[in-house]
Amino acid sequence: MQVVYHLGAPCTDADQLMMSLLKNRLRLAQAGISVPPPGRYRSVIRDTARALKGRPAGEDVQDALLDAIVDDAEVDRLILSDPRFVCINRLVVQGAQIWPMVERAATGLRALFPQAQIEFFIGMRDPATLIPALFKASRFSDFQEFTENMQPHAVAWSETLRRLQMAHPDCRITTWCNEDTPLLWGEILREMAGVGPGAELDGIDDLAASIMEEEGYRRMRGWLDQNPPETETQRRRVLAAFLERYAKDAEIEETLNLPGWTEELMDEMSQSYDEDMDVIARIPGVNLLTP
């Protein structure tokens, strides 16, 4: 059995990936691909992993988990998602690291199905916007207090992915930039489902629809219906053109007022994030999706 763990990151897709995949639940189930509703497994997965403390689950525990998650269905590929699989939002960035506990968390998740082939999926986000988003989602009211133990200028996703890859070199890691998700949505859905690049799936325009003006989205759908793209690259070009013209400003721009953070610091963080993608592309065992 293959088990996919979508780790988030927090403050990226807001569960929209799972909502889009769930539109294909019955179709995928016919191929042995299970996409259970998150409410069926999130607390069960966390509680079981906490109880096992990294010890491999026995057959009885695995059977109980599968019964709770998928009933009696035959499953070849199981897709699970939770932005808190690794930790709560407040602990995502500590010191100079993103997810300093990712190795331990991944070990706990892997131990739930020790004979399975495990894959990890991670949507990265620019720390210059990730940290403010984590603060906004927290119970903190003071940004400086929230970031007291952080070294935001030093964090790098490549360091996180290297630690995860070194801890679990036999687990495939697929990752992408959250900023690219409007163009990658269909590819991400297919990668998570484990289907081919030409597979028909519902929901591949869900994210575009949510960030695009309604009139623009209708025009894009009309254009695609009249001019079916022959390749994914062609489809992305059309999507990019319509997003450039019709994207909702509120969905792609954020006004930030962060005490202690200068515009220069945020620009440097974003530049480092962009440069970090070249490093990630060279990490063995990591599949970086790009437009």
Side-chain angles (χ1 to χ4, degrees):
M1 183 174 67
Q2 300 170 344
V3 178
V4 170
Y5 289 112
H6 173 227
L7 306 180
C11 301
T12 53
D13 69 272
D15 277 342
Q16 288 189 26
L17 273 174
M18 294 309 295
M19 288 188 284
S20 294
L21 278 176
L22 281 166
K23 292 182 176 181
N24 303 275
R25 188 181 181 190
L26 295 180
R27 179 190 306 178
L28 293 174
Q30 295 175 353
I33 304 165
S34 178
V35 188
R40 292 201 62 171
Y41 61 80
R42 284 185 171 174
S43 61
V44 174
I45 291 291
R46 285 197 297 264
D47 292 345
T48 306
R50 189 179 299 116
L52 289 172
K53 298 180 180 180
R55 299 186 303 271
E59 290 188 11
D60 56 337
V61 174
Q62 295 179 61
D63 289 343
L65 277 174
L66 289 175
D67 286 345
I69 296 171
V70 297
D71 297 322
D72 297 324
E74 289 293 326
V75 177
D76 296 318
R77 186 175 178 87
L78 177 61
I79 303 173
L80 307 172
S81 174
D82 189 346
R84 298 180 66 179
F85 267 148
V86 177
C87 64
I88 61 174
N89 286 7
R90 174 64 183 89
L91 302 178
V92 170
V93 179
Q94 296 185 53
Q97 291 184 315
I98 301 171
W99 281 338
M101 69 295 291
V102 70
E103 304 100 308
R104 183 175 70 251
T107 297
L109 293 172
R110 184 180 184 184
L112 298 175
F113 302 101
Q115 283 78 45
Q117 177 184 335
I118 304 298
E119 298 182 30
F120 296 111
F121 280 70
I122 300 170
M124 302 175 291
R125 181 170 177 173
D126 182 352
T129 65
L130 172 62
I131 294 173
L134 292 170
F135 167 69
K136 186 176 179 180
S138 75
R139 297 180 179 179
F140 281 75
S141 58
D142 187 316
F143 184 71
Q144 290 181 316
E145 181 183 0
F146 180 78
T147 58
E148 182 178 4
N149 296 317
M150 298 181 189
Q151 301 174 33
H153 60 283
V155 298
W157 278 104
S158 59
E159 189 271 343
T160 303
L161 296 175
R162 277 201 180 101
R163 286 189 285 111
L164 178 57
Q165 197 278 331
M166 290 179 65
H168 301 286
D170 58 334
C171 297
R172 190 167 183 261
I173 301 171
T174 298
T175 189
W176 61 92
C177 293
N178 183 61
E179 296 78 12
D180 293 334
T181 48
L183 301 179
L184 295 173
W185 199 251
E187 183 176 359
I188 296 169
L189 293 177
R190 294 184 181 100
E191 287 278 347
M192 289 185 69
V195 297
E200 291 289 333
L201 291 178
D202 294 330
I204 61 172
D205 289 324
D206 285 353
L207 185 60
S210 71
I211 64 174
M212 193 181 295
E213 295 175 4
E214 186 175 344
E215 175 63 21
Y217 180 73
R218 282 201 302 267
R219 291 187 178 187
M220 185 188 76
R221 285 304 325 158
W223 173 270
L224 290 172
D225 290 341
Q226 296 176 20
N227 306 273
E230 296 181 1
T231 66
E232 183 66 20
T233 299
Q234 291 179 357
R235 194 177 192 285
R236 287 175 182 167
R237 287 173 181 165
V238 173
L239 178 56
F242 276 87
L243 281 172
E244 184 176 0
R245 182 173 180 182
Y246 293 107
K248 300 175 185 175
D249 291 341
E251 297 293 339
I252 59 175
E253 296 180 0
E254 294 182 79
T255 301
L256 302 173
N257 181 18
L258 308 174
W261 278 32
T262 64
E263 185 174 344
E264 182 181 16
L265 170 63
M266 297 184 69
D267 287 344
E268 290 175 357
M269 290 171 63
S270 295
Q271 179 65 30
S272 296
Y273 173 67
D274 291 339
E275 294 172 353
D276 200 33
M277 295 307 110
D278 294 331
V279 178
I280 291 170
R282 297 192 296 271
I283 301 177
V286 173
N287 176 32
L288 174 64
L289 306 181
T290 57

